[in-house]
């Protein structure tokens, strides 16, 4: 499981895709989510504005990611 560290309260699913290096630009998120199955905590979700918080588990392209709050 890979960790995606965030320094804010949450990131959107679109931002997550960029942080995980699955897309290059935010504009690609809509198309990526149409073409690929993404699950958040076991439930399929394709809303690029979906808020992800520390502790959420995201599965995409046979990879598992955990959102982790980066403490400053």
């Amino acid at each position: 499981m890979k960790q995606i560290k965030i320094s804010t309260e949450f990131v959107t699913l679109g931002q997550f895709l960029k942080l995980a290096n699955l897309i290059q630009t935010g504009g690609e998120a809509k198309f990526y989510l149409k073409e690929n199955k993404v699950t958040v905590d076991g439930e399929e979700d394709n809303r690029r504005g979906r808020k992800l918080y520390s502790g959420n588990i995201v599965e995409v392209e046979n990879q598992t990611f955990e959102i982790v709050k980066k403490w400053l």
Side-chain angles (χ1 to χ4, degrees), residues 39-65:
T39 62
V40 178
D41 295 334
E43 295 182 15
E44 191 169 346
D45 201 333
N46 63 357
R47 298 172 293 157
R48 63 184 170 169
R50 162 79 186 260
K51 293 178 181 176
L52 303 174
Y53 297 90
S54 182
N56 284 136
I57 304 295
V58 182
E59 294 182 47
V60 60
E61 291 188 11
N62 297 318
Q63 299 180 70
T64 303
F65 300 90

Side-chain angles (χ1 to χ4, degrees), residues 10-60:
F10 65 87
V11 294
T12 64
L13 187 53
Q15 292 169 325
F16 160 80
L17 294 173
K18 281 181 63 178
L19 292 172
N21 294 317
L22 297 169
I23 60 173
Q24 298 300 313
T25 67
E28 295 175 33
K30 182 178 182 177
F31 302 104
Y32 185 89
L33 291 168
K34 265 188 174 178
E35 299 294 322
N36 297 279
K37 180 179 176 183
V38 177
T39 62
V40 178
D41 295 334
E43 295 182 15
E44 191 169 346
D45 201 333
N46 63 357
R47 298 172 293 157
R48 63 184 170 169
R50 162 79 186 260
K51 293 178 181 176
L52 303 174
Y53 297 90
S54 182
N56 284 136
I57 304 295
V58 182
E59 294 182 47
V60 60

